[in-house]
Amino acid sequence: MASPRHQPKTESLTFSISPSDKALLKGAIAHAPGLDLTGFVLAPALKRARKIAERNDVTHLSGQTRERFITLMERRPTPSERLLRNLFDKRHQIVEYVRLHIKPLGEDRTSPQRVLRLCVRSLNDPRG
């Protein structure tokens, strides 16, 4: 994916400002070589938008919170007896078979009856 600076500019943004503000912007651009009005106005707005997006997307952890998070992430949970029992349950096997082998119903128009027949056939197949 191209960086935002190198993407083709196909969108438009329009806003109204006072004549005095527009004159001020044009005057500033005259003393800033290499910038046009769009770049001059857009650069600080994009910088601020990126900071806001990062603040909302990134969670900073420090001190005890960070240590607790690392400890929890490194700890391997012990599977419960119920989970282990369900892993060998026929219903679980059907769900896994459908998830792995059957396309979603809308994609290939597979009827629910055909899905059920395939599941039952796979569960009764001695080859596994």
Side-chain angles (χ1 to χ4, degrees):
M1 180 177 187
S3 70
R5 292 184 183 140
H6 297 101
Q7 289 180 351
K9 294 178 173 95
T10 59
E11 298 295 321
S12 176
L13 180 66
T14 305
F15 54 94
S16 300
I17 61 172
S18 70
S20 61
D21 287 344
K22 186 173 182 180
L24 179 65
L25 289 170
K26 284 189 171 194
I29 290 169
H31 300 291
L35 286 178
D36 61 357
L37 182 59
T38 301
F40 187 80
V41 172
L42 202 52
L46 288 173
K47 183 177 180 181
R48 185 169 182 208
R50 286 186 187 105
K51 278 186 179 180
I52 290 170
E54 180 183 331
R55 188 174 59 222
N56 290 330
D57 292 343
V58 175
T59 302
H60 296 278
L61 301 175
S62 60
Q64 283 184 320
T65 307
R66 180 181 60 242
E67 294 304 319
R68 175 94 170 117
F69 177 77
I70 291 170
T71 301
L72 289 172
M73 293 303 292
E74 289 175 343
R75 183 185 308 156
R76 273 210 172 124
T78 305
S80 69
E81 186 178 317
R82 181 178 176 191
L83 173 63
L84 293 173
R85 190 173 56 246
N86 285 339
L87 284 175
F88 300 103
D89 184 79
K90 290 287 186 188
R91 289 171 294 173
H92 176 78
Q93 291 176 13
I94 290 172
V95 169
E96 282 301 300
Y97 181 84
V98 170
R99 188 178 68 77
L100 294 173
H101 301 291
I102 308 292
K103 291 182 180 179
L105 293 178
E107 282 185 23
D108 67 353
R109 307 273 189 235
T110 303
S111 71
Q113 292 83 5
R114 183 168 189 276
V115 170
L116 184 58
R117 279 194 311 271
L118 289 169
C119 291
V120 170
R121 189 179 308 145
S122 73
L123 290 173
N124 291 330
D125 188 352
R127 294 174 287 168

